[in-house]
Amino acid sequence: MAASPDQFRGHARLPHFAAPLRYDLRLRPDLAACTFTGAAAIAVVVSAPTRFLVLNAAELDVDRASIRFQDLAPTDVAQFDEDEIMVISFDRELPFGEGVLTMDFTGTLNDQMRGFYRSKYVYNGESRNMAVTQFEAADARRCFPCWDDPAFKAKFKLTLEVPSDLVALSNMPVAKETVSGLTKTIYYEESPLMSTYLVAIVVGIFDYIESSTSEGTKVRVYTQVGKTNQGKFALDVAVKSLDLYKDYFATPYPLPKLDMIAIPDFSAGAMENYGLVTYRDTALLYDELLSSASNKQQVAITVAHELAHQWFGNLVTMEWWTHLWLNEGFASWVSYLAVESLFPEWNNWTQFLDETTSGLRLDALAESHPIEVEVNHASEIDAIFDSISYDKGASVIRMLQSYLGAECFQESGEPVKDLMTTWTKQQGYPVIYAKINGHDLELEQFLSDGSSGPGMWIVPVTACCGSYDAQKKFLLKDKMDKINIKEFSDSQSADGEKNQIIWIKLNIDQTGFYRVKYDDELAAGLVNAIKAKKLSLMDKIGIVEDSYALSVACKQTLTSLLRLLNAYNDESDYTVLSHVTSVCLSISKITVDATPDLNKDIKQLLINLLLPAVIKLGWDPKDGESHLDVMLRSLLLTALVRLGHNETINEGVRRFHIFFEDGKTSLLPPDTRKAAYLAVMRTVSTSSRSGFDALLKIYREASEPQEKSRVLGSLSSSPDQDIVLEALNFMFTDEVRNQDSFYILGGISLEGREIAWTWLKENWDHVLKTWKSSSLISDFIESIVPRFTSEEKAVEVTEFFAGQVKPSFERALKQSLERVRISARWIESIRSEPKLGQTVQELLQADA
């Protein structure tokens, strides 16, 4: 029987008997009707006997009569929607060598923020559409038929027909332009070899500002009309980053120009399209008067990340999505390198531990995945754009780089393969148990959930004893090992008074992607070292994060975690306190369910811990204070409001009322607004809702996306369930862009979790229809489900989703359910701690 097109169904990847060399594409978007027409001429090389051409196409209407390969017309054209492929059959085998495949097609400018889509903006007071592309991972096929797989690199030559009053951008500079009446035709230069996911087109009305690198590459930032001043900061970071990277990679920037553009509707944070990088507004625009210090940092790190991709990802590309972690992990790591060099006062490498922390927290789950993950279908790709690929990826790269040393890492000839394989091929991470036995430090590695399974890592261990002067560095290759303390201690502390508690810190500066559990003697030594200010910022962060993770995993008591936190009571550094406050808020939440009778006292204890730093900073900015202190003020005031500190709430409400009457007041600059907005929402209820209405008014009148997101992030934080419900329903109105739903979802109060879950069940079909991208659907599940802490609720959620799980959110659902069960186990463990109540009282009295 003759082979049929069906043989190509159900495969992860396209067959290799034919491959594209060059695409000649002509596209004509109709921004009013939200459709587009296109014509493709693809130079294809046939390298094995076949009478089929198989390529990707999705949601496109291909005109079958227009299809030709050389002068051959096809005998059959089959489109398999579930595989997103098109199989073109001919009546004879195709000639070997190069031939041209041509076809015409039409499509829709969709509103799903993927493929070729429309984004809405306001120009001269009226709403308009712009046309934008977002192709990573597998959505170029929604714009033109193609071999939509990163390994099939080709050259692209684009031609666009657009209304003559619009700006039309693509990856390459314009070669020529012709105008005919109201339409202009723009011919772009041919691109170098690149993958389909990096092709980009943007059509709309924009202004730009420009600058040049030291090599003379033209760099532009495009914004909506009248907003170019908000692009200056990103432009400056871009030019400096390009200069830095050309030296780091020892390769010039590969393209003739670089454009960066702000897109109002955008599902990710940004996208590194070759030569035309797209961003959501908040990740590119920065306004000295309206943006906060953390916004500024976010813009810098995002720009540095996307521009690193121009080399690592675009010039050199992974062969398949299994290696996404290399692309994203490296860009994340190197963006910190760039920002550290541009803004040393931000202490950026210490802030990198935020990435390591989120990587470790996800990787502690059984429902995590290895850094290198098998991808069997296009629908699974989006779900691996997660904290493992980015944050664990970057952290493992940092671990390797710090173990080998910077110079060696850049040349990388070391035999690192065995070491790296243990970190990339298996999920999870080791927990190293450390205990003192005479003069020996004994180490043993366990799996991250504490059970001793087959997982074994080659762990780069670093250690210091009593000071950072003498450091020990070795690879732990076996389950157990021991080292003599004398090898790395300064001799006084090791041989001095026996009763003097020395301190030993493993994983110096948290460069390793693992956790450490210390025996009681070592743990006590570290508490003293924290109080005596002997430890680096990174080590202070590492100790509190490891201790918290061990407590959640029921390997250490909450009692001992509270004692440890108490040692941080005169800490004043932003980088350390950002981790301390995150742990405090988590304890505050879990004890509502675990020990309701102790919750008020525990909250008071946590408030006492953070209060000294707040009193020092106050609400008002001070002349000449550091960038990190500005961020610290915002962090701590927000935390105190969440912990229910009445004085902070009252002051936030007082300042809000003044600000609401006079937007120009200096009493509420952008950095402290979030705390004030949350304070207002803590006082809002159905019978007293003026604060809620005032915030909605601010939202409606704000033109600045960062201000809008600050308001959205506070609307659902009221203790009143009906107000929470109203905030959630506000998301369904056309006043909130679909990309911004996660701000409202992320703010839901503990009191609002039941109503939020009921709301999610009732509206699930609508959510699935409206939010198509994996990351956006996952937000709904990950923001609501893990707020619960009982086995009963986990069962209820499982039953609701039974039989309707899709690949786009399957991973998010499994991880969320696992988090619920981890919380349930943690609660059991906390309830069985005999000394918790007594310890809380002791610590409160010590504060008094």
Side-chain angles (χ1 to χ4, degrees):
M1 174 186 134
S4 86
D6 285 345
Q7 64 181 307
F8 301 112
R9 300 173 73 165
H11 296 283
R13 302 183 67 176
L14 297 171
H16 274 265
F17 46 64
L21 289 175
R22 179 182 300 102
Y23 292 82
D24 209 320
L25 298 171
R26 190 179 185 105
L27 293 165
R28 179 178 189 146
D30 180 334
L31 294 176
C34 289
T35 57
F36 63 90
T37 58
I42 310 170
V44 176
V45 172
V46 177
S47 57
T50 178
R51 52 182 200 82
F52 300 101
L53 289 175
V54 185
L55 61 164
N56 295 109
E59 294 164 22
L60 291 176
D61 208 345
V62 177
D63 173 11
R64 298 178 177 209
S66 71
I67 300 177
R68 292 285 181 279
F69 182 65
Q70 299 299 67
D71 50 1
L72 294 176
T75 52
D76 180 55
V77 179
Q79 273 186 271
F80 299 117
D81 292 346
E82 67 281 16
D83 290 310
E84 301 182 341
I85 60 170
M86 175 166 122
V87 180
I88 307 170
S89 313
F90 297 91
D91 61 4
R92 68 191 80 163
E93 284 198 350
L94 302 176
F96 277 26
E98 192 175 331
V100 176
L101 173 68
T102 53
M103 65 186 83
D104 300 335
F105 52 92
T106 58
T108 305
L109 290 175
N110 67 65
D111 57 2
Q112 298 170 14
M113 297 183 276
R114 61 177 186 170
F116 203 6
Y117 71 92
R118 68 181 162 95
S119 173
K120 289 186 171 159
Y121 63 111
V122 174
Y123 177 67
N124 283 348
E126 62 179 61
S127 178
R128 313 216 17 172
N129 290 330
M130 65 173 79
V132 190
T133 57
Q134 167 61 38
F135 290 164
E136 189 178 32
D139 292 318
R141 61 191 67 177
R142 285 179 166 70
C143 178
F144 55 92
C146 57
W147 277 258
D148 200 7
D149 172 325
F152 286 110
K153 281 190 163 185
K155 295 179 173 179
F156 289 83
K157 200 169 187 181
L158 266 64
T159 304
L160 294 179
E161 290 177 44
V162 297
S164 36
D165 60 333
L166 299 187
V167 174
L169 303 171
S170 186
N171 308 80
M172 299 299 290
V174 174
K176 75 167 188 179
E177 191 174 302
T178 59
V179 180
S180 162
L182 295 177
T183 304
K184 64 182 172 187
T185 304
I186 303 174
Y187 302 85
Y188 297 89
E189 290 176 19
E190 184 173 81
S191 76
L193 283 175
M194 60 189 273
S195 300
T196 47
Y197 78 88
L198 293 165
V199 175
I201 297 162
V202 181
V203 182
I205 299 176
F206 306 101
D207 275 349
Y208 69 85
I209 44 172
E210 75 175 15
S211 183
S212 292
T213 64
S214 59
E215 307 275 284
T217 304
K218 211 174 254 182
V219 183
R220 288 181 175 177
V221 171
Y222 283 84
T223 68
Q224 286 179 48
V225 174
K227 286 194 174 179
T228 52
N229 65 318
Q230 295 180 18
K232 283 180 180 157
F233 177 66
L235 181 63
D236 185 48
V237 171
V239 169
K240 289 175 175 158
S241 299
L242 289 180
D243 282 338
L244 189 141
Y245 290 148
K246 82 167 192 309
D247 295 337
Y248 186 81
F249 294 114
T251 307
Y253 171 69
L255 296 184
K257 60 94 178 170
L258 173 72
D259 295 331
M260 307 200 296
I261 185 164
I263 307 293
D265 299 281
F266 198 82
S267 76
M271 175 62 213
E272 70 266 21
N273 313 302
Y274 218 2
L276 175 55
V277 183
T278 46
Y279 296 81
R280 72 162 57 198
D281 286 351
T282 49
L284 185 69
L285 305 179
Y286 172 77
D287 185 307
E288 290 289 345
L289 298 173
L290 300 171
S291 305
S292 65
S294 58
N295 293 142
K296 185 174 195 174
Q297 223 174 256
Q298 192 52 46
V299 169
I301 206 86
T302 309
V303 169
H305 177 104
E306 303 311 326
L307 299 197
H309 276 310
Q310 303 302 307
W311 284 264
F312 207 90
N314 300 8
L315 178 64
V316 188
T317 311
M318 69 232 148
E319 197 270 337
W320 180 239
W321 299 105
T322 299
H323 296 99
L324 174 72
W325 77 274
L326 256 179
N327 198 2
E328 295 303 348
F330 190 83
S332 295
W333 177 81
V334 91
S335 66
Y336 276 80
L337 194 79
V339 173
E340 179 78 18
S341 154
L342 300 179
F343 303 99
E345 70 280 9
W346 291 0
N347 209 345
N348 212 43
W349 274 122
T350 309
Q351 295 196 51
F352 180 83
L353 293 185
D354 297 353
E355 315 274 325
T356 306
T357 298
S358 57
L360 285 164
R361 286 190 184 176
L362 177 50
D363 212 23
L365 302 182
E367 291 293 347
S368 177
H369 61 86
I371 287 182
E372 284 193 8
V373 62
E374 284 304 314
V375 175
N376 301 311
H377 195 276
S379 61
E380 297 171 12
I381 300 169
D382 282 349
I384 58 171
F385 281 80
D386 63 5
S387 207
I388 299 298
S389 298
Y390 285 72
D391 303 332
K392 181 179 183 179
S395 301
V396 167
I397 288 168
R398 174 175 177 248
M399 171 167 73
L400 187 67
Q401 191 256 2
S402 65
Y403 192 77
L404 294 176
E407 290 73 26
C408 182
F409 177 71
Q410 225 168 328
E411 330 276 71
S412 68
E414 287 270 320
V416 294
K417 194 163 182 245
D418 296 346
L419 165 70
M420 278 305 267
T421 301
T422 64
W423 296 93
T424 59
K425 301 278 194 221
Q426 57 183 353
Q427 75 179 52
Y429 55 83
V431 177
I432 309 289
Y433 282 35
K435 58 175 188 281
I436 288 282
N437 188 351
H439 281 298
D440 286 336
L441 176 65
E442 296 182 345
L443 305 177
E444 183 171 0
Q445 59 168 310
F446 291 88
L447 272 169
S448 42
D449 68 353
S451 66
S452 179
M456 285 281 288
W457 285 259
I458 298 178
V459 189
V461 175
T462 49
C464 60
C465 175
S467 88
Y468 288 96
D469 298 339
Q471 300 189 3
K472 174 79 178 162
K473 191 167 141 176
F474 70 101
L475 291 177
L476 174 63
K477 295 180 176 168
D478 303 307
K479 174 100 176 98
M480 301 173 76
D481 205 345
K482 60 175 189 233
I483 31 176
N484 190 313
I485 297 169
K486 288 182 173 167
E487 286 182 35
F488 63 99
S489 61
D490 52 25
S491 49
Q492 303 97 322
S493 58
D495 295 337
E497 295 300 310
K498 186 75 192 99
N499 59 9
Q500 179 198 350
I501 299 182
I502 55 158
W503 59 271
I504 291 178
K505 173 70 176 64
L506 290 165
N507 194 11
I508 299 169
D509 283 344
Q510 299 305 107
T511 54
F513 193 78
Y514 56 91
R515 302 223 183 258
V516 182
K517 177 175 171 17
Y518 296 95
D519 68 13
D520 292 348
E521 184 185 346
L522 289 169
L526 285 169
V527 168
N528 288 342
I530 292 167
K531 288 180 174 162
K533 305 209 178 321
K534 299 276 197 228
L535 298 179
S536 70
L537 298 174
M538 292 191 194
D539 281 336
K540 284 195 272 193
I541 292 169
I543 291 165
V544 79
E545 284 290 354
D546 284 2
S547 187
Y548 166 69
L550 290 162
S551 180
V552 174
C554 309
K555 303 290 176 217
Q556 187 188 316
T557 59
L558 176 61
T559 309
S560 65
L561 177 58
L562 289 172
R563 286 198 183 280
L564 169 69
L565 282 170
N566 201 47
Y568 290 82
N569 61 3
D570 60 351
E571 182 55 63
S572 59
D573 182 86
Y574 165 78
T575 56
V576 177
L577 284 171
S578 73
H579 290 265
V580 170
T581 50
S582 137
V583 169
C584 288
L585 291 168
S586 177
I587 292 172
S588 159
K589 276 188 211 139
I590 200 76
T591 52
V592 168
D593 292 338
T595 52
D597 49 329
L598 273 180
N599 180 252
K600 188 166 172 285
D601 283 348
I602 287 176
K603 279 190 171 145
Q604 189 56 54
L605 191 61
L606 301 171
I607 288 167
N608 295 350
L609 172 66
L610 301 175
L611 212 46
V614 174
I615 291 167
K616 223 183 310 182
L617 286 167
W619 275 81
D620 297 303
K622 301 181 175 50
D623 285 348
E625 68 186 347
S626 72
H627 165 86
L628 292 178
D629 277 350
V630 177
M631 288 186 46
L632 180 60
R633 175 179 296 111
S634 165
L635 172 87
L636 292 175
L637 290 173
T638 305
L640 286 180
V641 170
R642 291 189 198 280
L643 289 169
H645 183 240
N646 288 329
E647 284 166 51
T648 306
I649 291 173
N650 295 341
E651 182 61 13
V653 171
R654 182 184 81 82
R655 286 173 183 255
F656 176 80
H657 286 309
I658 297 168
F659 169 69
F660 186 63
E661 295 306 322
D662 168 21
K664 302 262 186 299
T665 176
S666 62
L667 282 180
L668 206 58
D671 290 285
T672 49
R673 275 180 211 165
K674 184 170 182 191
Y677 294 173
L678 288 170
V680 167
M681 286 308 301
R682 289 311 291 170
T683 63
V684 162
S685 64
T686 320
S687 54
S688 151
R689 53 173 293 138
S690 60
F692 184 70
D693 295 328
L695 279 166
L696 284 177
K697 184 168 189 281
I698 290 173
Y699 176 81
R700 288 173 176 137
E701 291 172 4
S703 62
E704 206 277 320
Q706 289 159 347
E707 177 69 357
K708 280 185 176 297
S709 62
R710 267 194 288 274
V711 176
L712 290 177
S714 60
L715 288 180
S716 57
S717 66
S718 162
D720 186 310
Q721 294 214 0
D722 294 332
I723 298 286
V724 173
L725 186 60
E726 197 174 326
L728 291 169
N729 285 327
F730 183 55
M731 221 167 21
F732 289 160
T733 67
D734 56 10
E735 289 190 73
V736 181
R737 294 181 188 268
N738 287 350
Q739 65 163 21
D740 291 335
S741 53
F742 77 94
Y743 291 116
I744 294 181
L745 292 166
I748 299 168
S749 61
L750 206 55
E751 299 91 340
R753 62 186 169 180
E754 255 330 317
I755 197 105
W757 167 235
T758 305
W759 170 88
L760 186 66
K761 288 187 288 190
E762 287 169 2
N763 293 288
W764 182 244
D765 290 342
H766 174 68
V767 167
L768 269 188
K769 275 203 236 14
T770 314
W771 283 268
K772 296 282 191 188
S773 89
S774 172
S775 65
L776 296 173
I777 303 173
S778 299
D779 282 332
F780 283 83
I781 294 172
E782 290 170 339
S783 301
I784 293 173
V785 174
R787 290 174 196 268
F788 295 102
T789 59
S790 71
E791 178 59 38
E792 298 75 45
K793 188 58 81 174
V795 169
E796 185 192 324
V797 172
T798 307
E799 283 168 0
F800 173 75
F801 283 107
Q804 50 173 350
V805 177
K806 293 186 163 54
S808 54
F809 65 86
E810 180 176 18
R811 200 174 287 251
L813 178 62
K814 285 179 171 171
Q815 290 171 350
S816 297
L817 287 166
E818 187 180 352
R819 288 184 199 280
V820 174
R821 294 189 160 111
I822 287 171
S823 293
R825 286 197 294 271
W826 191 20
I827 286 174
E828 289 302 303
S829 169
I830 291 169
R831 285 177 182 162
S832 69
E833 291 185 28
K835 295 210 176 95
L836 182 59
Q838 181 194 334
T839 303
V840 170
Q841 295 314 318
E842 274 172 33
L843 291 171
L844 276 174
Q845 276 151 15
D847 287 341

